[in-house]
Amino acid sequence: MRPVRAPPVVSSLVVVVAVTALALAGPQKAAPPPPQDPHTMAGWDLYNQYCLACHGYAGDGRGPAAPFNWAQPRSFVAGDYKWRSTPAGQPPLDDDLRLTIQQGVPGTSMPPFVSVLSATDLDRMVAIVKAFAPTAFAKPGTALQLGAAPAFAPDRGRTLWAKSGCAACHGDDGKGDGPAMKVHPYDLTALPLRRPRTADDQDARRRAAALSIATGIAGTAMPSYTGGTPEADIWALADFVVAQGAHAARTSRAYDDQQIEDDAAARLAVGGWAGSGDPDEAVVWAGPIPPQGTPPDSLAPAEASLHARQCARCHAKQYREWNASLHSSAASPGLRAQVDVMTTEVSASCRRCHTPLAEQQPSQPGFDADLRDEGVQCAGCHVRDWIRRGPARIAASLVPLPAYPLVTLAIYERADFCMPCHQLPPRTAVNGRPLLDTYKEWLEGPYMRRGVQCQSCHMPNREHTFLGIHDREIFKQGIHLATDATRGGDGAVTVTASLTNVGAGHMLPTTPTPAAWIAIELLDGRGQAIDGATAELRIGRDIYWDGQWHERADTRIPPGETRSLTHSWKLAQARSAHVTVEVHPDDYYEHFYANRLAGRLGAAERAQYEAALERARASYYVAEDRIVQLP
């Protein structure tokens, strides 16, 4: 039997001292919980899908989309927030952050997410935003209360404008041309008020302007006017702002001069990815792909090959899809004929996307001509340093290969994975837009705010077909053709054909290479074409080069918008109209190749251009073909 031990004797003096110490210390507070890592929080997948592109992996406002934004994305790390209902020096309320996420920021690239995020989603997003700057939110803010708006008084506001110091930065009329600022505020007469709001009537604009004046704009030179300025004067100043911006509207999708200037300073590389924060994602596209080097001994012979046909041993479905895609022919005869005579710098920028691996470059020691001819192939997207990289969800049919390392990355299911090869820097703009502006078009279109990525449409179910305008069915899915035909009392026949972009999340078509024609042709009672009774409209971006780029016209169709062709004829014999939509996917290059062939070329170069021209002309198709009966 185990002996029972007596309890230890404790000195009464020790007890008294301990009790006295606790009494003097007062009630004990629990230690604050440690800051949460945003990347491990419940809403991170939402942040990755909707926010990371602009605000960055680290929340520093340096996401891969940042160079293409109207206004620099907010850095959450700094803890400064422009759109608050709290006094200067205090953090915004959770409701302020929710409002910004829901309604977006008018006049900038920040879209509204009100239709796609649930209340739970919003709470999770707010929590992540706050987690990037825990110190800033350590003490909650208190809402500043503005009273009821008085009568609209813009004239009184104009009198107060210069007296209150507003004109020094914003200019006499609010155009942002005041002498005190090197980087000017945005033009209040041309662009809408940026403060998020649930409505956009005059009352909502007045309160938005008054709140900005009262609270100040954190992180900028705009001070708070609360305390030293009577509330009636704050309302009057707000009324002047609202009156000056009565006709403000952002109507252009072009880059402004400030964006182009900022980007020139940043020197974003052609074919570059501008993201920051996650080194694993940066390895994929942040710069030219370095040579893979000697494969490790742990790899089997097929795994130690960069050729797509070896990837097919395990990825047969993906190989079949890729082999029939444009990616597989990115190193076409037309490309090779051009880059072989270019300067090293220019040809490198073309090869960066068309043949991205170092081993595909003729200037590299490990150059492989067969590998070059594979164009944009498996390893170009998925292999770095002999380590595979890909999306998180792996097909169950694939055999695990522990000796062949795999890194899963979220970027493979985000649009910025496609950005380096489908977006040129702002400094390359022609008439305000780069020749390749697809990523920005998506970024500011309706699909980004709904979480629809490039892969959603061009790689459905992870198919590696990469279908686009060269595919008739894909193009047809993106358009809606409406027709109307009337006959007037004077016998005049009027036919309208309207083409709407219903399915492309970018301009239709997005690049200057393709062109589509809406054509109308009147037919007689025998169904025969009537001479001269035709009309057509070219849909596309019409550019040319004479030592520098020029744009003749841009008739492309933005998402959700329509281009219409209407024509009238006085032809009594017309009984119907033949309406077609014909697409030439390689229209620009077709003319370029023909012009090159008209000049003097060597035999090898001529053969390449002839093959390229034949291929371009073989790509024509008719997407819509219908007969419209006349009344």
Side-chain angles (χ1 to χ4, degrees), residues 113-356:
F113 293 102
V114 64
S115 62
V116 295
L117 297 178
S118 67
T120 299
D121 292 341
L122 281 168
D123 289 343
R124 288 175 173 174
M125 295 281 251
V126 167
I128 283 182
V129 167
K130 294 168 67 175
F132 279 117
T135 303
F137 289 93
K139 185 177 180 181
T142 303
L144 185 152
Q145 300 297 324
L146 278 178
F152 192 55
D155 291 339
R156 182 167 175 268
R158 175 179 283 279
T159 302
L160 293 167
W161 186 254
K163 178 182 176 182
S164 301
C166 307
C169 298
H170 291 280
D172 292 339
D173 298 309
K175 293 182 179 292
D177 54 358
M181 302 288 287
K182 183 177 291 186
V183 178
H184 295 299
Y186 70 92
D187 186 345
L188 294 168
T189 69
L191 296 170
L193 286 171
R194 290 183 175 172
R195 177 176 282 271
R197 48 196 181 272
T198 55
D200 198 36
D201 55 21
Q202 187 181 76
D203 288 343
R205 292 182 185 184
R206 292 181 72 195
R207 186 161 289 276
L211 267 174
S212 290
I213 295 168
T215 62
I217 307 295
T220 75
M222 174 75 183
S224 166
Y225 281 77
T226 300
T229 304
E231 186 172 301
D233 290 356
I234 289 176
W235 280 109
L237 289 168
D239 291 345
F240 174 70
V241 169
V242 171
Q244 293 302 98
H247 303 291
R250 180 184 168 194
T251 58
S252 174
R253 291 176 172 84
Y255 293 88
D256 59 27
D257 292 338
Q258 186 65 53
Q259 277 182 297
I260 294 172
E261 181 182 334
D262 290 348
D263 179 68
R267 303 303 300 171
L268 175 65
V270 172
W273 181 80
S276 67
D278 185 341
D280 287 328
E281 291 192 345
V283 166
V284 181
W285 287 131
I289 302 171
Q292 304 289 331
T294 303
D297 294 338
S298 59
L299 298 184
E303 297 167 348
S305 172
L306 296 173
H307 284 278
R309 61 180 176 271
Q310 296 298 341
C311 301
R313 295 166 67 91
C314 292
H315 303 275
K317 173 182 180 292
Q318 289 83 355
Y319 177 81
R320 287 194 301 270
E321 294 164 351
W322 165 84
N323 200 37
S325 74
L326 285 179
H327 277 192
S328 71
S329 55
S332 64
L335 173 83
R336 295 203 302 271
Q338 295 174 71
V339 299
D340 289 348
V341 297
M342 289 177 175
T343 64
T344 302
E345 181 181 358
V346 175
S347 68
S349 67
C350 297
R351 297 180 195 274
R352 170 82 172 92
C353 291
H354 287 265
T355 53

Side-chain angles (χ1 to χ4, degrees), residues 397-414:
S397 60
L398 293 176
V399 177
L401 299 171
Y404 196 178
L406 171 66
V407 174
T408 60
L409 298 171
I411 189 177
Y412 281 89
E413 296 185 288
R414 293 200 314 261

Side-chain angles (χ1 to χ4, degrees), residues 24-38:
L24 291 174
Q28 299 299 297
K29 293 183 179 179
Q36 285 187 280
D37 179 356

